Amino acid sequence: MKHRLIALAPYLIWLGALFIRLIEPAWLEEMQLRTFDAFNRIHPRAYQETAVRIVDIDDESLAKLGQWPWPRTFMARLVDRLKNLGAAVIGFDIVFAEPDRTSPGQVLPLWPATPAIDALKQDIQSLPDHDKIFGESIGQAPVVTGFALTSEANETRPALKAGFAYAGDAPERYLRVFSGAVACLPDLEKEAAGNGSFTVMPDPDGMIRRLPFMFSLKGRMVPSFAAEALRVAEGASTYKIKSSGASGEKSFGQHTGLVEIGVGRFRIPTDAEGRIWLYDTGPAARRSIPVWKILENDFKKDGIEGTIVLIGTSAAGLKDIRATPLNPAAAGIEIHAQLLEQILNKQFLKRPDWSAGAEVAFLALFGLLLVWLLPKIGAAGCAFLALTAVLGIFGFSWRAFLNSGWLVDPVYPSLSALAIYLVSSLAHFLKIEAERREIRTAFSRYLSPVLVDRLAKDPSMLKLGGEKKEMTILFADIRNFTAMSEQMEAQALTQFINRFLTPMTDIIMKHGGTIDKYMGDCVMAFWNAPLAEPEHAARAGRAALEMQAHLAKRNRGELSEEAGAAGFKVRAGIGINTGECFVGNMGSGYRFDYSVIGDEVNLASRLEGQCKHYGVDIIAGERTAERAAGLAWLEIDKIQVVGKTRPVRIFALFEGGEPGYENYFPFLKTKHLEMLEAYRASAWDRAETLVRECLTIDKAGKLAVFYSVIQKRIEAFRVKPPDPNWLGTFTSEGK
C-alpha cells in the first residue's frame, strides 16, 4: 500500500496542479500579473509622439494661478483657450459635482447684512453664474466630462451621449457592476459632447494593470472617460460591442464574455470584462503641458492642434495618484492618456482566448510525460527535458510578448513541471530506497552486512533470474547428530542447534559467504554470488578453518554454553568444492529462494560426508585447492563418489597458524605425497613404511584415522590385488 501511494504521488501532484490551474485562485492570478509586470518592465512601451496631451494642474500651476479649486470662469477660459488652439477633444478628469462657490449666487449669502453690501447685492445678482459661463464654453467646444462610479447606491444617473450596439451575448452581464455615481452638474453634462466614467479599478495589490472601457451602472451600460474621448474625437455616435457568440467569434457554446469594442475606425480588443491591458511607458515628460503654459500668450498651437487634450492633476495634494507597473506614483490622468495612446497607435497587450487552454494543455501533457519518463530515463534525463521545456515556454512567452503583445504565463506551468519533477524524482528515489531495503531484508538473512550494503548501493550487481558461474560451495554438518539428538528434549535440542548454526553463520558471513539454506544440523553456503568475489575459494577455506577453531574452543570449555548443550563434544565435517554452478532465484511465482544447483554442489555435499570416513575435519575438491593455493592443503585420496562417473582428487585442510606448523607440516607433506605415490603404484611395502613415518611426524594424530584407512586398504590389496590398470582411485559407496 505504501509503495502504491509513493508511485501515485507524482500523478496526484500533476492532477492537483491541473485542478489549481482550472479553478485559478486569487494567488495564481496575482502570480500571473506579477509575471506580466516583469515583462512590461523589461520591455516597456516606447513613448512616441501621439495626438494625446495632458494639460496638467501641477504644483507649479497651482503656485502661479492660485489654489484649487479654480473658479469655473477660469475653467471656461481654459476651455476657450484650448478650443482656439485647435484641440480635437477636451476631456476633464475632474468631477464638477457642486456649484462653483465663487459664483455670485453662492457668495452673497455669506456676506454680512450691512447697508453698503445691501446696496451692492442688486448689482451683483445681475452678474452671470460661473457654472453657466462654464457650461456655455463647454457647449461651444468638443468637451468630455467625467463621473465617478461607486458601490454605494444612489439615484444619480449620469447623462449618456452615445448609443450601444452589440453582437453576441448581452455585454452587461460581463461588465463590472456599480450601484451609484458622483456626476457633474446636470447643466454641465447637458452641454458636453461626451460623458464617461474615469473610475479605475486596481488589482488586489493596488496596481493598475487593466482599465475598463465599459461599465454597468445598475444594469445600464456606461462608457469610460477614455472611450468617450475617443468617440468624440472620431465623431462616432455608437459603440459597437462584440461578445462571445457573435459572428466570426468562436465560443464553442461557451459564454466567455466581451471580445472587442468598436469606436469609429478603431477596433479595440478587450478581456471578457471589457477591460484593456495597460501597456505602460512609465513617466514621459513630453506627454504633459502645465496649465499655466497653455494660458501664456506665446504658447504655440502646434502642441495642441488636432490632439485629444485631457485635463487632470499630478499635484500630490489633490490625491489623484495611482500605481502602475512602471510608476508607483502615476497621476490618474496619465493612465487615461496612456490608454488612448495605445488605441491610437494600436499597441495592445492581450491575453488571447487560447492562452489559458494552451497553459493547461502544456501542463497536462508535459507533466504526464515527466511522470511517465522519469522511471525510464532517470532523474538526470528528465531534468534536462524539464529544463529544456521550461526554457522553451519562457522563450515562447517572451517572443509572443515582444512580437504580438500576447500575455502567456510561463511561470505556473514551469513551477508545476518543477513540482512534478521533484515529486517524481522523490518517488523514484523512495522506490529505489524501498528496493534497497527489500534487498537488505532479503539478503541479510544469508549475506554478510558488507555484501548487503554493496548490493543496496548498486542493485544492478544482482542478476536475478539465474546465471552460470564458477563458485565455491561449503557444507558443514554435525557428526553423530542423530545419537546426540536422542538424548535431548525438544527445547534443549532447538537451543543446541541454534547455538551451533548461529556462530557458523556469523563466521561464513564474516568471510563474505552467502547462506543458502539450513538443513537440520547442516548449513550450506556459497561464495562468488550474488557479488563477484575473485578469492572465493580462499575465503571459503579460511571460513572453514575458523569454524573448526570455534568448535575446538567450545569443546575446551572456553565458550559459555546454555543448558542442554553442555556435556556434548561437538565435531563437524566440512566439505568444500569449487566449480561451474547455476545460481539465482529458484522456485515458483509464489515463493522462491536465492540458491545454487549443479554437480559441483552435489560433490561438495559428498565431500562433507567423507570427513567421517577419513577422520579429518575439512575436505575440499581439487579445484578449490588450486584456487586457494596459499592455504595448507594436503592431498588425501582420489575417489569416485556416488553419482559421479569420474574420480576426483580430494584434499584435507590444516590450520597454517598452529604452533610448530612451520617445523612439521612441510616435512609431513613431503613424506605424505611419497606415501600416496607408492600406494597408487601398488608398492605396498614402501607405502606401509611411509605410513608409519607419517604417523611419527603427525604427533597430534590429525591424520591417524586416514592412515589407518590406508593401512586397511593395503592389507586388503595384498589379499586381493587391484586391477592392473588401477590408478589409485577409491570408489565410495556412501554419501
Side-chain angles (χ1 to χ4, degrees):
M1 183 66 179
K2 185 177 179 181
H3 291 176
R4 288 183 180 178
L5 289 176
I6 292 174
L8 286 175
Y11 292 96
L12 295 177
I13 295 296
W14 171 64
L15 290 173
L18 277 176
F19 177 73
I20 290 172
R21 181 61 190 79
L22 290 171
I23 65 172
E24 201 164 0
W27 63 263
L28 176 57
E29 183 181 14
E30 183 177 348
M31 183 174 68
Q32 291 175 338
L33 293 176
R34 291 185 182 277
T35 301
F36 302 149
D37 289 348
F39 284 3
N40 198 168
R41 292 188 186 105
I42 295 170
H43 190 269
R45 179 172 63 88
Y47 177 76
Q48 52 185 308
E49 291 289 343
T50 309
V52 178
R53 287 290 182 272
I54 296 173
V55 172
D56 189 8
I57 305 172
D58 60 355
D59 290 317
E60 187 178 6
S61 296
L62 293 176
K64 288 178 178 290
L65 303 175
Q67 69 179 19
W68 185 262
W70 294 330
R72 303 286 162 80
T73 52
F74 182 88
M75 303 306 294
R77 176 186 166 198
L78 180 59
V79 170
D80 293 341
R81 174 66 170 161
L82 291 171
K83 173 189 172 186
N84 293 332
L85 290 173
V89 176
I90 304 168
F92 280 98
D93 183 21
I94 303 167
V95 179
F96 301 104
E98 298 175 352
D100 184 0
R101 61 184 176 83
T102 66
S103 291
Q106 299 294 320
V107 173
L108 284 178
L110 302 177
W111 289 358
T114 65
I117 292 176
D118 289 342
L120 294 173
K121 283 184 178 180
Q122 186 173 0
D123 292 334
I124 293 174
Q125 286 176 345
S126 64
L127 294 175
D129 184 80
H130 291 183
D131 288 314
K132 184 177 180 181
I133 294 172
F134 186 32
E136 289 175 353
S137 293
I138 290 174
Q140 295 173 10
V143 173
V144 174
T145 52
F147 55 89
L149 295 172
T150 68
S151 58
E152 296 180 3
N154 60 33
E155 298 304 318
T156 302
R157 293 292 180 272
L160 295 181
K161 303 292 183 174
F164 301 92
Y166 64 87
D169 297 334
E172 293 92 337
R173 61 186 294 187
Y174 303 110
L175 302 176
R176 294 295 180 96
V177 178
F178 293 86
S179 301
V182 178
C184 289
L185 297 170
D187 288 342
L188 299 182
E189 282 189 338
K190 179 181 178 182
E191 297 296 335
N195 191 33
S197 173
F198 42 66
T199 299
V200 294
M201 294 177 294
D203 289 312
D205 61 355
M207 190 79 70
I208 302 294
R209 299 183 181 89
R210 291 165 288 191
L211 297 171
F213 212 58
M214 293 288 161
F215 302 88
S216 174
L217 176 59
K218 289 187 175 181
R220 177 190 184 206
M221 248 192 321
V222 295
S224 70
F225 176 64
E228 280 290 84
L230 180 65
R231 182 187 64 79
V232 172
E234 284 289 292
S237 61
T238 304
Y239 292 101
K240 299 176 182 179
I241 303 171
K242 273 190 177 183
S243 55
S244 56
S247 176
E249 299 298 330
K250 294 181 179 179
S251 64
F252 302 102
Q254 301 296 311
H255 301 284
T256 56
L258 272 65
V259 176
E260 177 186 283
I261 297 176
V263 183
R265 56 196 167 91
F266 292 96
R267 297 294 177 265
I268 304 159
T270 70
D271 69 4
E273 298 179 15
R275 297 176 297 180
I276 302 172
W277 287 88
L278 176 65
Y279 195 178
D280 203 354
T281 64
R286 291 180 294 168
R287 179 182 288 133
S288 300
I289 305 171
V291 171
W292 70 268
K293 287 188 176 181
I294 295 291
L295 299 175
E296 293 289 312
N297 292 329
D298 60 351
F299 185 82
K300 296 180 180 179
K301 66 185 303 182
D302 57 2
I304 295 296
E305 188 174 19
T307 65
I308 298 174
V309 176
L310 304 181
I311 303 172
T313 180
S314 65
L318 298 184
K319 299 182 179 179
D320 189 19
I321 303 300
R322 311 286 182 171
T324 70
L326 270 71
N327 189 353
I333 190 64
E334 181 182 319
I335 297 173
H336 299 296
Q338 288 211 53
L339 180 58
L340 287 168
E341 289 171 359
Q342 289 179 225
I343 296 172
L344 295 178
N345 294 326
K346 298 181 180 179
Q347 292 177 293
F348 297 106
L349 294 181
K350 47 188 173 292
R351 186 141 164 79
D353 290 342
W354 52 261
S355 60
E359 292 160 11
V360 171
F362 171 83
L363 180 56
L365 297 176
F366 184 70
L368 188 60
L369 182 66
L370 272 183
V371 174
W372 179 69
L373 278 181
L374 193 131
K376 301 180 182 298
I377 66 175
C382 278
F384 176 77
L385 179 64
L387 179 61
T388 302
V390 168
L391 292 176
I393 190 172
F394 267 93
F396 171 78
S397 297
W398 180 243
R399 296 307 304 176
F401 177 80
L402 290 181
N403 297 336
S404 305
W406 290 346
L407 299 172
V408 180
D409 176 25
V411 175
Y412 182 73
S414 299
L415 290 178
S416 299
L418 176 63
I420 293 169
Y421 167 74
L422 291 176
V423 173
S424 298
S425 298
L426 177 61
H428 187 57
F429 171 77
L430 292 176
K431 179 183 177 183
I432 292 174
E433 285 299 302
E435 291 175 351
R436 288 177 176 175
R437 283 194 297 272
E438 290 175 0
I439 289 172
R440 285 191 179 97
T441 301
F443 284 93
S444 62
R445 300 180 184 275
Y446 43 81
L447 277 179
S448 71
V450 175
L451 293 183
V452 173
D453 288 340
R454 287 175 62 189
L455 272 178
K457 291 177 181 177
D458 187 6
S460 65
M461 298 176 70
L462 176 62
K463 294 183 179 179
L464 299 177
E467 60 179 326
K468 189 176 183 181
K469 63 191 305 185
E470 183 181 79
M471 301 178 64
T472 297
I473 301 94
L474 178 148
F475 282 84
D477 193 13
I478 297 176
R479 304 267 185 88
N480 301 317
F481 176 72
T482 301
M484 294 169 61
S485 63
E486 291 175 352
Q487 302 176 49
M488 296 184 192
E489 297 293 334
Q491 185 175 359
L493 180 62
T494 301
Q495 292 177 345
F496 174 73
I497 290 294
N498 290 341
R499 276 293 178 180
F500 169 74
L501 293 177
T502 298
M504 299 299 103
T505 299
D506 291 342
I507 292 169
I508 290 170
M509 288 187 171
K510 173 184 173 183
H511 290 275
T514 300
I515 302 299
D516 186 297
K517 60 178 68 72
Y518 301 108
M519 298 164 286
D521 61 317
C522 177
V523 58
M524 173 185 170
F526 52 80
W527 277 258
N528 205 31
L531 301 181
E533 177 51 67
E535 298 183 358
H536 51 90
R539 280 180 169 265
R542 286 193 286 269
L545 289 171
E546 187 171 340
M547 292 164 71
Q548 293 294 358
H550 176 86
L551 292 177
K553 288 182 180 180
R554 177 211 179 274
N555 292 336
R556 291 194 299 268
E558 297 177 13
L559 303 175
S560 60
E561 298 295 334
E562 294 186 6
F568 291 101
K569 299 293 183 181
V570 180
R571 294 195 64 188
I574 298 177
I576 308 174
N577 189 43
T578 300
E580 294 286 334
C581 304
F582 186 84
V583 62
N585 278 336
M586 301 175 196
S588 69
Y590 299 98
R591 180 171 179 174
F592 58 83
D593 290 318
Y594 190 75
S595 186
V596 60
I597 58 175
D599 286 343
E600 304 300 338
V601 178
N602 298 331
L603 178 57
S605 176
R606 301 290 185 269
L607 295 181
E608 181 277 320
Q610 296 299 319
C611 289
K612 181 178 181 181
H613 175 71
Y614 288 101
V616 295
D617 295 331
I618 304 170
I619 294 180
E622 182 176 1
R623 192 176 298 182
T624 303
E626 291 174 351
R627 294 285 190 274
L631 300 180
W633 299 105
L634 193 62
E635 184 179 354
I636 57 174
D637 207 354
K638 182 189 292 184
I639 67 171
Q640 182 174 325
V641 299
V642 175
K644 299 286 285 185
T645 58
R646 298 180 61 183
V648 294
R649 296 164 64 198
I650 61 176
F651 295 76
L653 180 60
F654 290 84
E655 176 59 63
E658 64 183 60
Y661 167 82
E662 295 83 356
N663 297 325
Y664 84 88
F665 187 76
F667 187 43
L668 173 62
K669 187 173 183 178
T670 300
K671 290 296 181 182
H672 182 88
L673 293 178
E674 290 179 7
M675 181 274 295
L676 284 181
E677 185 178 357
Y679 168 74
R680 290 167 179 166
S682 301
W684 312 125
D685 292 340
R686 177 162 175 73
E688 282 186 324
T689 299
L690 290 170
V691 165
R692 288 191 291 271
E693 290 183 14
C694 288
L695 285 169
T696 301
I697 298 171
D698 183 24
K699 294 179 180 180
K702 292 187 176 183
L703 293 173
V705 174
F706 166 72
Y707 290 131
S708 174
V709 169
I710 294 298
Q711 285 178 327
K712 289 179 181 179
R713 289 183 187 175
I714 291 173
E715 292 173 1
F717 285 144
R718 288 183 187 276
V719 176
K720 185 179 180 181
D723 187 272
N725 297 322
W726 181 69
L727 298 176
T729 300
F730 172 74
T731 301
S732 174
E733 297 179 356
K735 294 185 178 181

